[in-house]
Amino acid sequence: MSYLYLVRHGQADRLGKNYDQLTELGWKQANLLGEYFKHQRIEFDSVYTGTLNRQKQTAEGIIKSFTKDQFCIPDPIENSAWDEFDSRMWLGIAAKIRNANPSFAKLYETYKIAWEEGKEETRHYFQELIQLVLADWVNGVWGSIEPYTFEEYVEKVSKGPFQIPIDVKSTLVISSSTPIAIMMGLSCKMDYKEFPIFMKSILNSSLSVFRRENNHWEPVSWNGTPHLQHPDLITIV
């Protein structure tokens, strides 16, 4: 029987000029998750990440908790199937909505100003905006979008879990919120248009566990943060 431990990356630097890197808190979340795995005696036969820096840094933080006590853990393998959606999609759809929806355009400008000033409110505004963009993407409101439609992206993500060798018993994957939501939707055999229900709530460094049964991945647990014992450590953006 195979288990997949699917982790969202730690908090990324949404307030900075380069989102694709962890904040100090994001590094701490990753280290604490590694400590949790170690104390629970959860070991891994294989480790995968997407190609994004924030995913690879989270893996680095988890692995550091193992190696400092000389526990063995495999080197991560990069697989783009676990990448977050391409930012061109988000920017393209956001531009279309801004031209058609004055309230969205106002919120977008508020977000831009907050981001330029490095305000904490940036995270809240982005969460509002991205949910609206994702809803339009999933429902195909704007037709063909670069670099892929939502259906095409689901197909891309769906290849990741089935590229894990069948004889591997325990695999750690560090990914992002949208691939994790898709994995949950696929494992529950839901219609892809229902996947956004999972996209709203996936926490930074959260852990979801799946079990392979007859070449199908079944959910065991979802969006857990047992390694984050203080509420100030729990973040979503």
Side-chain angles (χ1 to χ4, degrees):
M1 186 178 296
S2 297
Y3 285 89
L4 168 57
Y5 294 80
L6 184 53
V7 172
R8 186 189 177 198
H9 62 77
Q11 185 189 58
D13 191 14
R14 173 58 58 191
L15 305 184
K17 299 303 180 184
N18 178 14
Y19 175 62
D20 196 22
Q21 62 182 2
L22 297 187
T23 62
E24 182 178 347
L25 176 56
W27 280 105
K28 185 172 184 178
Q29 291 167 337
N31 293 151
L32 288 170
L33 182 54
E35 292 293 331
Y36 169 79
F37 285 140
K38 189 173 61 179
H39 292 154
Q40 294 295 313
R41 299 180 182 177
I42 300 172
E43 299 182 55
F44 303 105
D45 303 308
S46 61
V47 179
Y48 291 84
T49 72
T51 67
L52 304 178
N53 195 45
R54 58 190 182 272
Q55 299 167 338
K56 292 186 284 186
Q57 287 181 337
T58 302
E60 182 183 340
I62 292 170
I63 289 169
K64 184 176 180 180
S65 295
F66 279 81
T67 55
K68 74 177 184 180
D69 290 328
Q70 298 184 323
F71 282 75
C72 292
I73 185 168
D75 291 333
I77 300 169
E78 291 183 29
N79 184 343
S80 62
W82 296 108
D83 283 354
E84 183 58 282
F85 56 76
D86 192 300
S87 61
R88 287 176 292 170
M89 179 283 294
W90 136 252
L91 293 171
I93 292 181
K96 292 176 183 296
I97 302 176
R98 288 204 313 275
N99 291 330
N101 185 330
S103 62
F104 182 95
K106 183 178 180 180
L107 179 60
Y108 189 88
E109 289 305 311
T110 303
Y111 159 74
K112 280 182 60 180
I113 293 169
W115 178 75
E116 289 167 358
E117 296 177 352
K119 291 183 177 179
E120 187 64 33
E121 291 92 332
T122 300
R123 301 184 189 279
H124 172 72
Y125 296 140
F126 178 77
Q127 184 71 356
E128 284 191 64
L129 290 168
I130 199 62
Q131 293 304 322
L132 296 169
V133 169
L134 287 173
D136 278 11
W137 186 38
V138 170
N139 289 289
V141 172
W142 303 101
S144 181
I145 293 292
E146 291 294 331
Y148 32 56
T149 65
F150 184 67
E151 297 98 310
E152 290 168 340
Y153 180 66
V154 169
E155 178 64 23
K156 174 179 179 289
V157 171
S158 68
K159 295 176 182 177
F162 292 101
Q163 290 169 351
I164 298 170
I166 196 81
D167 59 343
V168 171
K169 292 184 177 180
S170 181
T171 297
L172 172 65
V173 173
I174 295 88
S175 185
S176 295
S177 59
T178 314
I180 294 170
I182 289 171
M183 179 69 182
M184 189 63 174
L186 291 171
S187 69
C188 294
K189 300 182 179 181
M190 296 167 60
D191 184 273
Y192 74 89
K193 290 190 176 181
E194 298 178 281
F195 293 178
I197 193 171
F198 299 118
M199 296 178 188
K200 300 176 182 179
S201 59
I202 303 172
L203 301 168
N204 292 126
S205 78
S206 65
L207 172 64
S208 300
V209 182
F210 300 83
R211 177 179 57 232
R212 183 162 17 203
E213 292 282 354
N214 299 321
N215 209 35
H216 173 71
W217 291 99
E218 298 179 349
V220 175
S221 63
W222 163 250
N223 200 31
T225 54
H227 56 299
L228 304 179
Q229 294 299 306
H230 192 283
D232 289 346
L233 297 174
I234 299 173
T235 59
I236 195 168
V237 179

mmCIF file with all atom_site columns, all heavy atoms in Angstrom, residues 127-149:
data_model
loop_
_atom_site.group_PDB
_atom_site.id
_atom_site.type_symbol
_atom_site.label_atom_id
_atom_site.label_alt_id
_atom_site.label_comp_id
_atom_site.label_asym_id
_atom_site.label_entity_id
_atom_site.label_seq_id
_atom_site.pdbx_PDB_ins_code
_atom_site.Cartn_x
_atom_site.Cartn_y
_atom_site.Cartn_z
_atom_site.occupancy
_atom_site.B_iso_or_equiv
_atom_site.pdbx_formal_charge
_atom_site.auth_seq_id
_atom_site.auth_comp_id
_atom_site.auth_asym_id
_atom_site.auth_atom_id
_atom_site.pdbx_PDB_model_num
ATOM 1   N N   . GLN A 1 127 ? -6.200  37.519 -1.968  1.00 0.00 ? 127 GLN A N   1
ATOM 2   C CA  . GLN A 1 127 ? -7.075  36.357 -1.765  1.00 0.00 ? 127 GLN A CA  1
ATOM 3   C C   . GLN A 1 127 ? -8.450  36.601 -2.373  1.00 0.00 ? 127 GLN A C   1
ATOM 4   O O   . GLN A 1 127 ? -9.031  35.706 -2.996  1.00 0.00 ? 127 GLN A O   1
ATOM 5   C CB  . GLN A 1 127 ? -7.185  36.058 -0.262  1.00 0.00 ? 127 GLN A CB  1
ATOM 6   C CG  . GLN A 1 127 ? -7.987  34.806 0.074   1.00 0.00 ? 127 GLN A CG  1
ATOM 7   C CD  . GLN A 1 127 ? -7.285  33.521 -0.304  1.00 0.00 ? 127 GLN A CD  1
ATOM 8   O OE1 . GLN A 1 127 ? -6.209  33.533 -0.902  1.00 0.00 ? 127 GLN A OE1 1
ATOM 9   N NE2 . GLN A 1 127 ? -7.883  32.403 0.033   1.00 0.00 ? 127 GLN A NE2 1
ATOM 10  N N   . GLU A 1 128 ? -8.974  37.820 -2.226  1.00 0.00 ? 128 GLU A N   1
ATOM 11  C CA  . GLU A 1 128 ? -10.264 38.156 -2.840  1.00 0.00 ? 128 GLU A CA  1
ATOM 12  C C   . GLU A 1 128 ? -10.179 38.098 -4.367  1.00 0.00 ? 128 GLU A C   1
ATOM 13  O O   . GLU A 1 128 ? -11.051 37.518 -5.038  1.00 0.00 ? 128 GLU A O   1
ATOM 14  C CB  . GLU A 1 128 ? -10.704 39.553 -2.411  1.00 0.00 ? 128 GLU A CB  1
ATOM 15  C CG  . GLU A 1 128 ? -11.253 39.655 -1.009  1.00 0.00 ? 128 GLU A CG  1
ATOM 16  C CD  . GLU A 1 128 ? -11.896 41.018 -0.783  1.00 0.00 ? 128 GLU A CD  1
ATOM 17  O OE1 . GLU A 1 128 ? -12.897 41.332 -1.453  1.00 0.00 ? 128 GLU A OE1 1
ATOM 18  O OE2 . GLU A 1 128 ? -11.374 41.773 0.058   1.00 0.00 ? 128 GLU A OE2 1
ATOM 19  N N   . LEU A 1 129 ? -9.150  38.709 -4.905  1.00 0.00 ? 129 LEU A N   1
ATOM 20  C CA  . LEU A 1 129 ? -9.005  38.778 -6.363  1.00 0.00 ? 129 LEU A CA  1
ATOM 21  C C   . LEU A 1 129 ? -8.813  37.398 -6.980  1.00 0.00 ? 129 LEU A C   1
ATOM 22  O O   . LEU A 1 129 ? -9.433  37.073 -8.000  1.00 0.00 ? 129 LEU A O   1
ATOM 23  C CB  . LEU A 1 129 ? -7.804  39.665 -6.719  1.00 0.00 ? 129 LEU A CB  1
ATOM 24  C CG  . LEU A 1 129 ? -7.955  41.158 -6.460  1.00 0.00 ? 129 LEU A CG  1
ATOM 25  C CD1 . LEU A 1 129 ? -6.599  41.851 -6.573  1.00 0.00 ? 129 LEU A CD1 1
ATOM 26  C CD2 . LEU A 1 129 ? -8.957  41.788 -7.415  1.00 0.00 ? 129 LEU A CD2 1
ATOM 27  N N   . ILE A 1 130 ? -7.963  36.591 -6.379  1.00 0.00 ? 130 ILE A N   1
ATOM 28  C CA  . ILE A 1 130 ? -7.637  35.309 -6.999  1.00 0.00 ? 130 ILE A CA  1
ATOM 29  C C   . ILE A 1 130 ? -8.840  34.378 -7.003  1.00 0.00 ? 130 ILE A C   1
ATOM 30  O O   . ILE A 1 130 ? -9.010  33.577 -7.934  1.00 0.00 ? 130 ILE A O   1
ATOM 31  C CB  . ILE A 1 130 ? -6.415  34.647 -6.315  1.00 0.00 ? 130 ILE A CB  1
ATOM 32  C CG1 . ILE A 1 130 ? -5.814  33.577 -7.238  1.00 0.00 ? 130 ILE A CG1 1
ATOM 33  C CG2 . ILE A 1 130 ? -6.767  34.071 -4.959  1.00 0.00 ? 130 ILE A CG2 1
ATOM 34  C CD1 . ILE A 1 130 ? -5.291  34.084 -8.548  1.00 0.00 ? 130 ILE A CD1 1
ATOM 35  N N   . GLN A 1 131 ? -9.706  34.472 -6.007  1.00 0.00 ? 131 GLN A N   1
ATOM 36  C CA  . GLN A 1 131 ? -10.893 33.628 -6.015  1.00 0.00 ? 131 GLN A CA  1
ATOM 37  C C   . GLN A 1 131 ? -11.827 33.987 -7.177  1.00 0.00 ? 131 GLN A C   1
ATOM 38  O O   . GLN A 1 131 ? -12.424 33.110 -7.806  1.00 0.00 ? 131 GLN A O   1
ATOM 39  C CB  . GLN A 1 131 ? -11.648 33.737 -4.674  1.00 0.00 ? 131 GLN A CB  1
ATOM 40  C CG  . GLN A 1 131 ? -10.889 33.171 -3.487  1.00 0.00 ? 131 GLN A CG  1
ATOM 41  C CD  . GLN A 1 131 ? -10.476 31.722 -3.667  1.00 0.00 ? 131 GLN A CD  1
ATOM 42  O OE1 . GLN A 1 131 ? -11.221 30.913 -4.236  1.00 0.00 ? 131 GLN A OE1 1
ATOM 43  N NE2 . GLN A 1 131 ? -9.287  31.377 -3.204  1.00 0.00 ? 131 GLN A NE2 1
ATOM 44  N N   . LEU A 1 132 ? -11.934 35.272 -7.485  1.00 0.00 ? 132 LEU A N   1
ATOM 45  C CA  . LEU A 1 132 ? -12.754 35.708 -8.621  1.00 0.00 ? 132 LEU A CA  1
ATOM 46  C C   . LEU A 1 132 ? -12.143 35.268 -9.946  1.00 0.00 ? 132 LEU A C   1
ATOM 47  O O   . LEU A 1 132 ? -12.844 34.807 -10.849 1.00 0.00 ? 132 LEU A O   1
ATOM 48  C CB  . LEU A 1 132 ? -12.906 37.233 -8.591  1.00 0.00 ? 132 LEU A CB  1
ATOM 49  C CG  . LEU A 1 132 ? -13.668 37.800 -7.383  1.00 0.00 ? 132 LEU A CG  1
ATOM 50  C CD1 . LEU A 1 132 ? -13.526 39.312 -7.328  1.00 0.00 ? 132 LEU A CD1 1
ATOM 51  C CD2 . LEU A 1 132 ? -15.141 37.406 -7.447  1.00 0.00 ? 132 LEU A CD2 1
ATOM 52  N N   . VAL A 1 133 ? -10.823 35.387 -10.049 1.00 0.00 ? 133 VAL A N   1
ATOM 53  C CA  . VAL A 1 133 ? -10.130 34.958 -11.266 1.00 0.00 ? 133 VAL A CA  1
ATOM 54  C C   . VAL A 1 133 ? -10.269 33.453 -11.456 1.00 0.00 ? 133 VAL A C   1
ATOM 55  O O   . VAL A 1 133 ? -10.563 32.974 -12.561 1.00 0.00 ? 133 VAL A O   1
ATOM 56  C CB  . VAL A 1 133 ? -8.643  35.374 -11.211 1.00 0.00 ? 133 VAL A CB  1
ATOM 57  C CG1 . VAL A 1 133 ? -7.855  34.697 -12.331 1.00 0.00 ? 133 VAL A CG1 1
ATOM 58  C CG2 . VAL A 1 133 ? -8.511  36.884 -11.318 1.00 0.00 ? 133 VAL A CG2 1
ATOM 59  N N   . LEU A 1 134 ? -10.058 32.693 -10.388 1.00 0.00 ? 134 LEU A N   1
ATOM 60  C CA  . LEU A 1 134 ? -10.153 31.232 -10.486 1.00 0.00 ? 134 LEU A CA  1
ATOM 61  C C   . LEU A 1 134 ? -11.555 30.787 -10.891 1.00 0.00 ? 134 LEU A C   1
ATOM 62  O O   . LEU A 1 134 ? -11.704 29.862 -11.686 1.00 0.00 ? 134 LEU A O   1
ATOM 63  C CB  . LEU A 1 134 ? -9.765  30.596 -9.150  1.00 0.00 ? 134 LEU A CB  1
ATOM 64  C CG  . LEU A 1 134 ? -8.274  30.621 -8.799  1.00 0.00 ? 134 LEU A CG  1
ATOM 65  C CD1 . LEU A 1 134 ? -8.063  30.124 -7.371  1.00 0.00 ? 134 LEU A CD1 1
ATOM 66  C CD2 . LEU A 1 134 ? -7.460  29.788 -9.780  1.00 0.00 ? 134 LEU A CD2 1
ATOM 67  N N   . ALA A 1 135 ? -12.574 31.458 -10.354 1.00 0.00 ? 135 ALA A N   1
ATOM 68  C CA  . ALA A 1 135 ? -13.952 31.089 -10.710 1.00 0.00 ? 135 ALA A CA  1
ATOM 69  C C   . ALA A 1 135 ? -14.191 31.254 -12.209 1.00 0.00 ? 135 ALA A C   1
ATOM 70  O O   . ALA A 1 135 ? -14.785 30.377 -12.858 1.00 0.00 ? 135 ALA A O   1
ATOM 71  C CB  . ALA A 1 135 ? -14.941 31.938 -9.912  1.00 0.00 ? 135 ALA A CB  1
ATOM 72  N N   . ASP A 1 136 ? -13.711 32.357 -12.776 1.00 0.00 ? 136 ASP A N   1
ATOM 73  C CA  . ASP A 1 136 ? -13.882 32.578 -14.216 1.00 0.00 ? 136 ASP A CA  1
ATOM 74  C C   . ASP A 1 136 ? -13.060 31.573 -15.025 1.00 0.00 ? 136 ASP A C   1
ATOM 75  O O   . ASP A 1 136 ? -13.504 31.104 -16.086 1.00 0.00 ? 136 ASP A O   1
ATOM 76  C CB  . ASP A 1 136 ? -13.467 33.997 -14.591 1.00 0.00 ? 136 ASP A CB  1
ATOM 77  C CG  . ASP A 1 136 ? -14.573 35.008 -14.315 1.00 0.00 ? 136 ASP A CG  1
ATOM 78  O OD1 . ASP A 1 136 ? -15.559 34.647 -13.653 1.00 0.00 ? 136 ASP A OD1 1
ATOM 79  O OD2 . ASP A 1 136 ? -14.439 36.169 -14.758 1.00 0.00 ? 136 ASP A OD2 1
ATOM 80  N N   . TRP A 1 137 ? -11.871 31.252 -14.557 1.00 0.00 ? 137 TRP A N   1
ATOM 81  C CA  . TRP A 1 137 ? -11.005 30.286 -15.250 1.00 0.00 ? 137 TRP A CA  1
ATOM 82  C C   . TRP A 1 137 ? -11.651 28.906 -15.272 1.00 0.00 ? 137 TRP A C   1
ATOM 83  O O   . TRP A 1 137 ? -11.753 28.264 -16.325 1.00 0.00 ? 137 TRP A O   1
ATOM 84  C CB  . TRP A 1 137 ? -9.660  30.246 -14.549 1.00 0.00 ? 137 TRP A CB  1
ATOM 85  C CG  . TRP A 1 137 ? -8.604  29.412 -15.214 1.00 0.00 ? 137 TRP A CG  1
ATOM 86  C CD1 . TRP A 1 137 ? -8.367  29.271 -16.553 1.00 0.00 ? 137 TRP A CD1 1
ATOM 87  C CD2 . TRP A 1 137 ? -7.610  28.623 -14.555 1.00 0.00 ? 137 TRP A CD2 1
ATOM 88  N NE1 . TRP A 1 137 ? -7.288  28.449 -16.772 1.00 0.00 ? 137 TRP A NE1 1
ATOM 89  C CE2 . TRP A 1 137 ? -6.799  28.039 -15.559 1.00 0.00 ? 137 TRP A CE2 1
ATOM 90  C CE3 . TRP A 1 137 ? -7.312  28.374 -13.209 1.00 0.00 ? 137 TRP A CE3 1
ATOM 91  C CZ2 . TRP A 1 137 ? -5.730  27.202 -15.256 1.00 0.00 ? 137 TRP A CZ2 1
ATOM 92  C CZ3 . TRP A 1 137 ? -6.239  27.555 -12.910 1.00 0.00 ? 137 TRP A CZ3 1
ATOM 93  C CH2 . TRP A 1 137 ? -5.466  26.965 -13.922 1.00 0.00 ? 137 TRP A CH2 1
ATOM 94  N N   . VAL A 1 138 ? -12.106 28.462 -14.117 1.00 0.00 ? 138 VAL A N   1
ATOM 95  C CA  . VAL A 1 138 ? -12.708 27.129 -14.019 1.00 0.00 ? 138 VAL A CA  1
ATOM 96  C C   . VAL A 1 138 ? -13.940 27.014 -14.902 1.00 0.00 ? 138 VAL A C   1
ATOM 97  O O   . VAL A 1 138 ? -14.174 25.975 -15.542 1.00 0.00 ? 138 VAL A O   1
ATOM 98  C CB  . VAL A 1 138 ? -13.068 26.816 -12.551 1.00 0.00 ? 138 VAL A CB  1
ATOM 99  C CG1 . VAL A 1 138 ? -13.922 25.551 -12.453 1.00 0.00 ? 138 VAL A CG1 1
ATOM 100 C CG2 . VAL A 1 138 ? -11.797 26.665 -11.711 1.00 0.00 ? 138 VAL A CG2 1
ATOM 101 N N   . ASN A 1 139 ? -14.709 28.069 -14.975 1.00 0.00 ? 139 ASN A N   1
ATOM 102 C CA  . ASN A 1 139 ? -15.964 28.035 -15.734 1.00 0.00 ? 139 ASN A CA  1
ATOM 103 C C   . ASN A 1 139 ? -15.795 28.461 -17.192 1.00 0.00 ? 139 ASN A C   1
ATOM 104 O O   . ASN A 1 139 ? -16.788 28.529 -17.926 1.00 0.00 ? 139 ASN A O   1
ATOM 105 C CB  . ASN A 1 139 ? -17.003 28.915 -15.042 1.00 0.00 ? 139 ASN A CB  1
ATOM 106 C CG  . ASN A 1 139 ? -17.492 28.307 -13.747 1.00 0.00 ? 139 ASN A CG  1
ATOM 107 O OD1 . ASN A 1 139 ? -18.223 27.316 -13.753 1.00 0.00 ? 139 ASN A OD1 1
ATOM 108 N ND2 . ASN A 1 139 ? -17.071 28.869 -12.625 1.00 0.00 ? 139 ASN A ND2 1
ATOM 109 N N   . GLY A 1 140 ? -14.573 28.722 -17.602 1.00 0.00 ? 140 GLY A N   1
ATOM 110 C CA  . GLY A 1 140 ? -14.323 29.054 -19.004 1.00 0.00 ? 140 GLY A CA  1
ATOM 111 C C   . GLY A 1 140 ? -14.995 30.313 -19.486 1.00 0.00 ? 140 GLY A C   1
ATOM 112 O O   . GLY A 1 140 ? -15.359 30.413 -20.669 1.00 0.00 ? 140 GLY A O   1
ATOM 113 N N   . VAL A 1 141 ? -15.158 31.297 -18.600 1.00 0.00 ? 141 VAL A N   1
ATOM 114 C CA  . VAL A 1 141 ? -15.890 32.510 -18.930 1.00 0.00 ? 141 VAL A CA  1
ATOM 115 C C   . VAL A 1 141 ? -15.247 33.267 -20.099 1.00 0.00 ? 141 VAL A C   1
ATOM 116 O O   . VAL A 1 141 ? -15.944 33.829 -20.948 1.00 0.00 ? 141 VAL A O   1
ATOM 117 C CB  . VAL A 1 141 ? -15.998 33.422 -17.687 1.00 0.00 ? 141 VAL A CB  1
ATOM 118 C CG1 . VAL A 1 141 ? -16.580 34.788 -18.055 1.00 0.00 ? 141 VAL A CG1 1
ATOM 119 C CG2 . VAL A 1 141 ? -16.839 32.741 -16.606 1.00 0.00 ? 141 VAL A CG2 1
ATOM 120 N N   . TRP A 1 142 ? -13.919 33.242 -20.164 1.00 0.00 ? 142 TRP A N   1
ATOM 121 C CA  . TRP A 1 142 ? -13.213 34.039 -21.164 1.00 0.00 ? 142 TRP A CA  1
ATOM 122 C C   . TRP A 1 142 ? -12.638 33.190 -22.296 1.00 0.00 ? 142 TRP A C   1
ATOM 123 O O   . TRP A 1 142 ? -11.760 33.631 -23.030 1.00 0.00 ? 142 TRP A O   1
ATOM 124 C CB  . TRP A 1 142 ? -12.102 34.846 -20.491 1.00 0.00 ? 142 TRP A CB  1
ATOM 125 C CG  . TRP A 1 142 ? -12.633 35.724 -19.407 1.00 0.00 ? 142 TRP A CG  1
ATOM 126 C CD1 . TRP A 1 142 ? -12.584 35.480 -18.062 1.00 0.00 ? 142 TRP A CD1 1
ATOM 127 C CD2 . TRP A 1 142 ? -13.343 36.953 -19.559 1.00 0.00 ? 142 TRP A CD2 1
ATOM 128 N NE1 . TRP A 1 142 ? -13.200 36.486 -17.366 1.00 0.00 ? 142 TRP A NE1 1
ATOM 129 C CE2 . TRP A 1 142 ? -13.686 37.400 -18.264 1.00 0.00 ? 142 TRP A CE2 1
ATOM 130 C CE3 . TRP A 1 142 ? -13.720 37.720 -20.669 1.00 0.00 ? 142 TRP A CE3 1
ATOM 131 C CZ2 . TRP A 1 142 ? -14.382 38.590 -18.054 1.00 0.00 ? 142 TRP A CZ2 1
ATOM 132 C CZ3 . TRP A 1 142 ? -14.416 38.906 -20.444 1.00 0.00 ? 142 TRP A CZ3 1
ATOM 133 C CH2 . TRP A 1 142 ? -14.736 39.329 -19.160 1.00 0.00 ? 142 TRP A CH2 1
ATOM 134 N N   . GLY A 1 143 ? -13.151 31.970 -22.436 1.00 0.00 ? 143 GLY A N   1
ATOM 135 C CA  . GLY A 1 143 ? -12.725 31.122 -23.536 1.00 0.00 ? 143 GLY A CA  1
ATOM 136 C C   . GLY A 1 143 ? -11.297 30.620 -23.372 1.00 0.00 ? 143 GLY A C   1
ATOM 137 O O   . GLY A 1 143 ? -10.839 30.358 -22.255 1.00 0.00 ? 143 GLY A O   1
ATOM 138 N N   . SER A 1 144 ? -10.589 30.507 -24.466 1.00 0.00 ? 144 SER A N   1
ATOM 139 C CA  . SER A 1 144 ? -9.222  30.000 -24.454 1.00 0.00 ? 144 SER A CA  1
ATOM 140 C C   . SER A 1 144 ? -8.288  31.036 -23.828 1.00 0.00 ? 144 SER A C   1
ATOM 141 O O   . SER A 1 144 ? -8.271  32.200 -24.227 1.00 0.00 ? 144 SER A O   1
ATOM 142 C CB  . SER A 1 144 ? -8.769  29.688 -25.873 1.00 0.00 ? 144 SER A CB  1
ATOM 143 O OG  . SER A 1 144 ? -7.454  29.178 -25.870 1.00 0.00 ? 144 SER A OG  1
ATOM 144 N N   . ILE A 1 145 ? -7.537  30.602 -22.820 1.00 0.00 ? 145 ILE A N   1
ATOM 145 C CA  . ILE A 1 145 ? -6.645  31.484 -22.062 1.00 0.00 ? 145 ILE A CA  1
ATOM 146 C C   . ILE A 1 145 ? -5.236  30.916 -22.102 1.00 0.00 ? 145 ILE A C   1
ATOM 147 O O   . ILE A 1 145 ? -5.024  29.715 -21.955 1.00 0.00 ? 145 ILE A O   1
ATOM 148 C CB  . ILE A 1 145 ? -7.130  31.587 -20.593 1.00 0.00 ? 145 ILE A CB  1
ATOM 149 C CG1 . ILE A 1 145 ? -8.477  32.307 -20.517 1.00 0.00 ? 145 ILE A CG1 1
ATOM 150 C CG2 . ILE A 1 145 ? -6.103  32.296 -19.725 1.00 0.00 ? 145 ILE A CG2 1
ATOM 151 C CD1 . ILE A 1 145 ? -8.436  33.772 -20.886 1.00 0.00 ? 145 ILE A CD1 1
ATOM 152 N N   . GLU A 1 146 ? -4.251  31.788 -22.293 1.00 0.00 ? 146 GLU A N   1
ATOM 153 C CA  . GLU A 1 146 ? -2.855  31.350 -22.242 1.00 0.00 ? 146 GLU A CA  1
ATOM 154 C C   . GLU A 1 146 ? -2.399  31.176 -20.796 1.00 0.00 ? 146 GLU A C   1
ATOM 155 O O   . GLU A 1 146 ? -2.784  31.969 -19.941 1.00 0.00 ? 146 GLU A O   1
ATOM 156 C CB  . GLU A 1 146 ? -1.956  32.378 -22.940 1.00 0.00 ? 146 GLU A CB  1
ATOM 157 C CG  . GLU A 1 146 ? -2.146  32.440 -24.442 1.00 0.00 ? 146 GLU A CG  1
ATOM 158 C CD  . GLU A 1 146 ? -1.711  31.161 -25.141 1.00 0.00 ? 146 GLU A CD  1
ATOM 159 O OE1 . GLU A 1 146 ? -0.800  30.482 -24.619 1.00 0.00 ? 146 GLU A OE1 1
ATOM 160 O OE2 . GLU A 1 146 ? -2.281  30.839 -26.184 1.00 0.00 ? 146 GLU A OE2 1
ATOM 161 N N   . PRO A 1 147 ? -1.603  30.155 -20.497 1.00 0.00 ? 147 PRO A N   1
ATOM 162 C CA  . PRO A 1 147 ? -1.062  29.162 -21.431 1.00 0.00 ? 147 PRO A CA  1
ATOM 163 C C   . PRO A 1 147 ? -1.915  27.901 -21.529 1.00 0.00 ? 147 PRO A C   1
ATOM 164 O O   . PRO A 1 147 ? -1.569  27.007 -22.288 1.00 0.00 ? 147 PRO A O   1
ATOM 165 C CB  . PRO A 1 147 ? 0.294   28.835 -20.806 1.00 0.00 ? 147 PRO A CB  1
ATOM 166 C CG  . PRO A 1 147 ? 0.033   28.956 -19.350 1.00 0.00 ? 147 PRO A CG  1
ATOM 167 C CD  . PRO A 1 147 ? -0.955  30.077 -19.194 1.00 0.00 ? 147 PRO A CD  1
ATOM 168 N N   . TYR A 1 148 ? -3.020  27.836 -20.746 1.00 0.00 ? 148 TYR A N   1
ATOM 169 C CA  . TYR A 1 148 ? -3.870  26.651 -20.811 1.00 0.00 ? 148 TYR A CA  1
ATOM 170 C C   . TYR A 1 148 ? -5.231  26.951 -20.182 1.00 0.00 ? 148 TYR A C   1
ATOM 171 O O   . TYR A 1 148 ? -5.388  27.839 -19.348 1.00 0.00 ? 148 TYR A O   1
ATOM 172 C CB  . TYR A 1 148 ? -3.242  25.449 -20.082 1.00 0.00 ? 148 TYR A CB  1
ATOM 173 C CG  . TYR A 1 148 ? -2.378  25.779 -18.879 1.00 0.00 ? 148 TYR A CG  1
ATOM 174 C CD1 . TYR A 1 148 ? -2.859  26.535 -17.804 1.00 0.00 ? 148 TYR A CD1 1
ATOM 175 C CD2 . TYR A 1 148 ? -1.057  25.343 -18.810 1.00 0.00 ? 148 TYR A CD2 1
ATOM 176 C CE1 . TYR A 1 148 ? -2.063  26.831 -16.714 1.00 0.00 ? 148 TYR A CE1 1
ATOM 177 C CE2 . TYR A 1 148 ? -0.245  25.643 -17.723 1.00 0.00 ? 148 TYR A CE2 1
ATOM 178 C CZ  . TYR A 1 148 ? -0.762  26.391 -16.667 1.00 0.00 ? 148 TYR A CZ  1
ATOM 179 O OH  . TYR A 1 148 ? 0.035   26.704 -15.592 1.00 0.00 ? 148 TYR A OH  1
ATOM 180 N N   . THR A 1 149 ? -6.246  26.214 -20.636 1.00 0.00 ? 149 THR A N   1
ATOM 181 C CA  . THR A 1 149 ? -7.556  26.257 -19.988 1.00 0.00 ? 149 THR A CA  1
ATOM 182 C C   . THR A 1 149 ? -7.474  25.489 -18.678 1.00 0.00 ? 149 THR A C   1
ATOM 183 O O   . THR A 1 149 ? -6.496  24.775 -18.406 1.00 0.00 ? 149 THR A O   1
ATOM 184 C CB  . THR A 1 149 ? -8.623  25.605 -20.872 1.00 0.00 ? 149 THR A CB  1
ATOM 185 O OG1 . THR A 1 149 ? -8.318  24.203 -21.021 1.00 0.00 ? 149 THR A OG1 1
ATOM 186 C CG2 . THR A 1 149 ? -8.685  26.256 -22.253 1.00 0.00 ? 149 THR A CG2 1
#
